[in-house]
Amino acid sequence: MENKPIRTDSTQPWRSALALGLVVIIGTALLAAVNGLTRARITDQEQRVVLEQLQQIIPAELHDNALHRDYYDFSADTAFPQGQIVTAYRARKQGQPVAVILRFAAMDGYNGRINLLAGIAVTGQLIGVRVTSHKETPGLGDGIEIERSDWIRAFNGKSLQQPTLEQWAVQRDGGSFDQMTGATITPRAVVNAVKRALLYFQQHQQELFETPAHEITEK
């Protein structure tokens, strides 16, 4: 019996390659979509947290404008080092400046960046300070969170005059602010960052209130 040659389909490798390419493209698109949704959820959650904290620092009765609309971003490496972008939220009542809330970071925490909000009244006094996120050691450095201790409330009512500029340090460095048991680096970083924010406010108060606001879409 004569053996017949086996016929092969020369287009099969191209079909396989095309199918594999489609799988890769679809998989990449799905992954990008999931990542996009995840980032959007994270951003929305962070914004909700920030808005809640803004309201904690500046109560509604102190202003009549929308804080999340009256803001702008800037950088000033001397006061806010390492190229960080600072956000200034302005509180006003009947068009008059009441306070500004600066969103910035202490970059030298024990485990790196400590994100902060500092509310400063037009008089130069601190209305309040809050930690929005950090990576400090649980049980030690995390005492900067208002949920963990009242340490952060020590900033309420403080200014560059009370205490004096020289006293703007933790007690171990000769200042007036308590350090935490077993944790000095964390409170030192926060105190120094808030002091720099107050100095910036003192030098740039007019700019902080008069710079045009970014426009964002209401949700």
Side-chain angles (χ1 to χ4, degrees), residues 151-207:
W151 181 84
I152 202 75
R153 296 183 189 276
F155 290 103
N156 295 1
K158 296 291 194 298
S159 68
L160 294 176
Q161 290 72 46
Q162 182 61 39
T164 62
L165 191 60
E166 293 75 17
Q167 290 292 303
W168 266 90
V170 295
Q171 291 174 352
R172 180 169 292 181
D173 298 333
S176 64
F177 289 87
D178 290 340
Q179 60 256 1
M180 300 167 188
T181 303
T184 301
I185 294 174
T186 301
R188 177 187 289 138
V190 174
V191 170
N192 287 337
V194 174
K195 177 178 71 173
R196 289 193 299 269
L198 283 172
L199 285 167
Y200 185 87
F201 177 85
Q202 183 183 70
Q203 298 161 6
H204 300 273
Q205 182 172 349
Q206 184 174 354
E207 175 187 340

Side-chain angles (χ1 to χ4, degrees), residues 130-148:
R130 292 291 184 275
V131 175
T132 61
S133 63
H134 68 89
K135 295 180 181 178
E136 301 302 274
T137 307
L140 293 173
D142 64 353
I144 56 177
E145 297 175 28
I146 196 168
E147 295 83 5
R148 301 285 183 181

Side-chain angles (χ1 to χ4, degrees), residues 84-128:
Q84 59 181 291
I85 302 300
V86 181
T87 303
Y89 300 91
R90 285 79 64 90
R92 309 176 196 270
K93 195 155 191 176
Q94 296 181 352
Q96 297 302 309
V98 172
V100 63
I101 300 178
L102 297 177
R103 184 182 184 184
F104 61 102
M107 306 300 285
D108 53 352
Y110 186 76
N111 287 318
R113 183 182 181 116
I114 301 171
N115 291 315
L116 299 163
L117 291 173
I120 308 171
V122 291
T123 59
Q125 283 187 316
L126 282 165
I127 299 173

